[in-house]
């Protein structure tokens, strides 16, 4: 078949998804092997490049629409959910009279279910905001050590419940430019994961140091660890592995995807070191000098 035949075969017929590109490639390779006319070859390539660029543009557009829709839905669910949570909290606290034991149990269930849903909706909103490029960082130069101490104190409520000790080794380093709320979110998720996937009675280690032009935060646990193949998957949305939380905690698989995007926006890096059975270490680096203009 000549190139125009190949092109019309490709452009005019709808193949099923899997066979589409395979079929095209086979046709092209057959043609490529026999044909010497470089002009025709170059025309064909140009058409193909155009076709793929077009497909990529359509895909990006569809992805944007998806993010917008998810963002809208999540946004509109947030207020009613916050009302349910807030009102059930007032009822539990006895703000409008007292309840029987069973009524209080029901109210507690309503409170914790709406709280879980609100967290999920907020995470989904984060993903869609970040993906659509609308994440606004409020960068200020400040003490990363102070922020880490604060987050460790807050999360200690969870680790104490599981008999897990958090051991900190935090060096005095110069102030770092970062968005306080967003980096707090990253530390919360990494510490939260370390506690969630650690057996009772183990330790979680957090260290802060300076390595040349970057600040390095290392969070290490003594849990089941992560295999090399699984590592890149973890930074994609809704990815959870077979590993069970040791205290019945929830696994949505959004925390690391959000953390990676936040760290990328800070022009830092996040990497994992682990071998199965030997615990996991998450290493976050943030540049000490700001490139955002602070
Ligand atoms: N320290 C760790 N040790 C072992 N596995 C881990 C560790 N941290 C993450 N994982 C694996 O990576 C998955 C994704 O983590 P991620 O933080 O994105 O989501 P999650 O903790 O399941 O839910 P959430 O959205 O609430 O954070 C986890 O479900 C778990 O399978
Ligand atoms: Mg998590």
């Amino acid at each position: 078949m000549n190139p125009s035949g190949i092109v019309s075969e490709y452009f005019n017929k709808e193949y099923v998804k899997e066979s589409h590109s395979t079929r095209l490639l086979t046709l092209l390779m057959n043609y490529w092997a026999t044909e010497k006319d470089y002009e025709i070859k170059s025309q064909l390539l140009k058409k193909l490049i155009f076709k793929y660029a077009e497909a990529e543009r359509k895909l990006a557009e569809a992805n944007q629409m998806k993010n917008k829709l998810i963002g809208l839905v999540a946004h509109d669910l947030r207020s009613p959910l916050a009302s349910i949570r807030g009102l059930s909290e007032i009822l539990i606290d006895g703000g409008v009279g007292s309840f029987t034991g069973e009524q209080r149990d029901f109210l507690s269930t309503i409170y914790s279910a709406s709280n879980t849903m609100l967290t999920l909706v907020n995470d989904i909103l984060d993903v869609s905001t970040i993906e659509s490029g609308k994440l606004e960082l409020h960068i200020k130069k400040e003490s990363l050590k102070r922020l880490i101490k604060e987050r460790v104190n807050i999360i200690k409520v969870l680790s104490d419940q599981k008999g897990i000790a958090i051991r900190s080794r935090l060096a005095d380093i110069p102030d770092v430019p970062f968005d306080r709320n967003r980096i707090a979110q990253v530390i919360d998720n990494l510490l939260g994961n370390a506690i969630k996937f650690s057996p009772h009675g183990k330790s979680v280690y957090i260290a802060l140091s300076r390595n040349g032009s970057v600040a390095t935060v290392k969070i290490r646990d003594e849990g089941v660890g992560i295999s090399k193949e699984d590592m890149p998957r973890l930074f994609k949305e809704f990815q959870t592995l077979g590993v069970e939380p040791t205290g019945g905690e929830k696994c949505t698989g959004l925390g690391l995807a959000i953390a990676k995007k936040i760290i990328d926006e800070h022009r830092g890096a996040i990497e994992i070191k682990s071998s199965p059975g030997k615990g996991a270490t998450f290493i976050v680096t943030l540049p000490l000098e700001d490139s955002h203009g602070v």
Side-chain angles (χ1 to χ4, degrees), residues 37-282:
D37 188 333
Y38 293 113
E39 178 57 30
I40 295 178
K41 278 184 175 179
S42 130
Q43 272 179 25
L44 188 60
L45 262 183
K46 273 186 200 149
K47 279 202 167 178
L48 273 174
I49 290 168
F50 179 77
K51 176 87 181 165
Y52 277 114
E54 182 73 5
E56 206 177 308
R57 190 186 57 75
K58 281 191 182 147
L59 214 62
E61 243 175 51
N63 195 38
Q64 240 176 21
M65 286 281 290
K66 178 210 76 183
N67 283 335
K68 210 169 158 184
L69 184 71
I70 290 177
L72 277 174
V73 173
H75 185 266
D76 287 359
L77 282 175
R78 210 152 60 147
S79 306
L81 278 172
S83 304
I84 297 171
R85 188 184 67 172
L87 291 173
S88 56
E89 196 175 12
I90 293 174
L91 293 175
I92 291 168
D93 290 346
V96 285
S98 53
F99 292 96
T100 65
E102 195 181 22
Q103 284 167 335
R104 282 179 63 84
D105 285 350
F106 286 171
L107 284 171
S108 296
T109 308
I110 295 172
Y111 175 81
S112 71
S114 53
N115 194 37
T116 307
M117 276 157 78
L118 199 58
T119 310
L120 179 60
V121 160
N122 279 335
D123 279 354
I124 290 174
L125 207 54
D126 268 351
V127 170
S128 87
T129 308
I130 297 170
E131 271 203 0
S132 60
K134 280 187 286 186
L135 176 72
E136 255 185 53
L137 292 181
H138 301 285
I139 303 263
K140 251 175 73 184
K141 249 187 172 179
E142 53 185 305
S143 164
L144 193 51
K145 181 173 175 174
R146 200 178 321 127
L147 179 72
I148 293 175
K149 274 186 170 171
E150 179 192 301
R151 301 326 294 175
V152 168
N153 274 336
I154 292 172
I155 214 152
K156 254 179 75 63
V157 183
L158 291 180
S159 57
D160 284 350
Q161 280 170 8
K162 294 178 82 170
I164 291 172
I166 304 181
R167 303 186 191 283
S168 311
R169 212 174 30 138
L170 311 174
D172 287 312
I173 65 163
D175 282 355
V176 183
F178 61 89
D179 181 319
R180 186 164 231 286
N181 291 337
R182 291 300 182 176
I183 295 298
Q185 206 177 343
V186 173
I187 296 170
D188 287 356
N189 181 57
L190 294 179
L191 277 177
N193 284 351
I195 295 165
K196 181 155 57 172
F197 300 109
S198 283
H200 290 243
K202 295 281 184 187
S203 295
V204 165
Y205 301 84
I206 181 160
L208 170 69
S209 62
R210 177 193 179 160
N211 293 82
S213 59
V214 296
T216 306
V217 182
K218 281 190 194 175
I219 293 172
R220 178 164 74 84
D221 63 62
E222 300 170 329
V224 285
I226 300 162
S227 71
K228 249 200 164 63
E229 304 80 65
D230 283 331
M231 288 180 190
R233 274 182 48 200
L234 297 188
F235 295 112
K236 302 208 172 92
E237 288 92 18
F238 296 109
Q239 294 287 335
T240 54
L241 305 179
V243 45
E244 288 289 321
T246 50
E249 296 97 328
K250 297 257 173 326
C251 281
T252 312
L254 283 175
L256 284 176
I258 296 171
K260 168 99 174 71
K261 285 170 182 160
I262 292 174
I263 297 300
D264 283 351
E265 284 289 317
H266 280 80
R267 304 192 176 112
I270 177 163
E271 62 168 310
I272 315 173
K273 287 209 169 111
S274 173
S275 40
K278 297 218 173 111
T281 306
F282 284 77

Side-chain angles (χ1 to χ4, degrees), residues 177 266-267 287 289-294:
H266 280 80
R267 304 192 176 112
E289 275 317 311
D290 180 56
S291 42
H292 292 84
V294 172

